[in-house]
Structure formats: C-alpha cells, structure tokens
C-alpha cells in the first residue's frame, strides 16, 4: 500500500494530529506514529504513563469498558488499548506500564 504514496496520502492521519494539538494541547504528550502502511491511522502511545493514557481516553470520550487490558514481556508489562474515530482517522491509544510485584510481608519475607 505504501508504494507510490505521497505525503498527501497521509493527510487524514496528519489532519487528525493537527486537530488533536489544537483541541487537546494541554494533555500529556504521547509518542506519535503515522505509518505509510496504514495511512488513515494515527497511533498515540504512552510508555510508563497510564495516567497520560487515561487523560486522553477521557478527553476523547472513550468509555472505560472499551479499553482492552493485557500483558506482554512475560507478564512484566501492563498494556491498555483503546480505539476511536477522530477527524476521519482511526485513532489508536496504547498505554504501557511496568507491573510491580509487591514486596513480601510477614512470614513470606
């Protein structure tokens, strides 16, 4: 799909990014991904910042029950994902955070 694609072919995702900047410029900055493989998709990710993920989820009015939860890296990383349509783009939110194991207490210590 990316063969012969021009910058104009990314206009939907880039327009959505521009509008997000105007509408939600006060929110935490995400990692941004625009890809020639998925020209109508805009991906926003938050590494070690689930609060940033949640701020964007709320701002985009994505219901909490629309968020999928999972793990990766052998169960050491928590992953939250949500999708929405925004300004004609398929918007993907992803949040990553380390899963901390509490220190043992009592006789388990």
């Amino acid at each position: 799909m990316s063969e012969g694609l021009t910058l104009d072919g990314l206009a939907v995702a880039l327009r959505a990014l521009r509008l997000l900047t105007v509408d939600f410029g006060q929110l935490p900055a995400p990692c941004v991904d625009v890809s020639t493989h998925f020209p109508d998709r805009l991906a926003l990710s938050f590494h070690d910042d689930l609060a940033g993920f949640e701020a964007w989820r709320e701002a985009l009015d994505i219901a909490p029950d629309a968020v999928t939860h999972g793990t990766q890296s052998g169960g050491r990383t928590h992953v939250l994902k949500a999708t929405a349509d925004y300004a004609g783009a398929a918007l993907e939110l992803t949040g990553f955070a380390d899963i901390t194991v509490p220190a043992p207490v009592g006789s388990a210590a």
Side-chain angles (χ1 to χ4, degrees):
M1 171 124 203
S2 63
E3 189 173 319
L5 186 70
T6 64
L7 186 60
D8 190 50
L10 299 174
V12 170
L14 294 173
R15 183 178 311 111
L17 179 59
R18 186 182 77 225
L19 291 172
L20 287 171
T21 302
V22 171
D23 292 343
F24 304 110
Q26 77 284 3
L27 292 179
C31 293
V32 177
D33 181 49
V34 176
S35 170
T36 56
H37 295 287
F38 304 100
D40 292 341
R41 182 190 75 186
L42 176 62
L44 307 178
S45 60
F46 303 86
H47 299 265
D48 297 320
D49 186 12
L50 294 183
F53 173 92
E54 280 299 309
W56 278 91
R57 183 197 59 75
E58 289 179 10
L60 293 168
D61 201 27
I62 299 172
D65 62 352
V67 176
T68 61
H69 305 264
T71 61
Q72 67 182 35
S73 300
R76 294 186 319 261
T77 303
H78 191 73
V79 182
L80 301 179
K81 291 188 177 194
T83 59
D85 292 325
Y86 185 80
L91 182 63
E92 294 181 0
L93 293 178
T94 307
F96 302 95
D98 290 337
I99 296 174
T100 56
V101 179
V105 293
S107 62

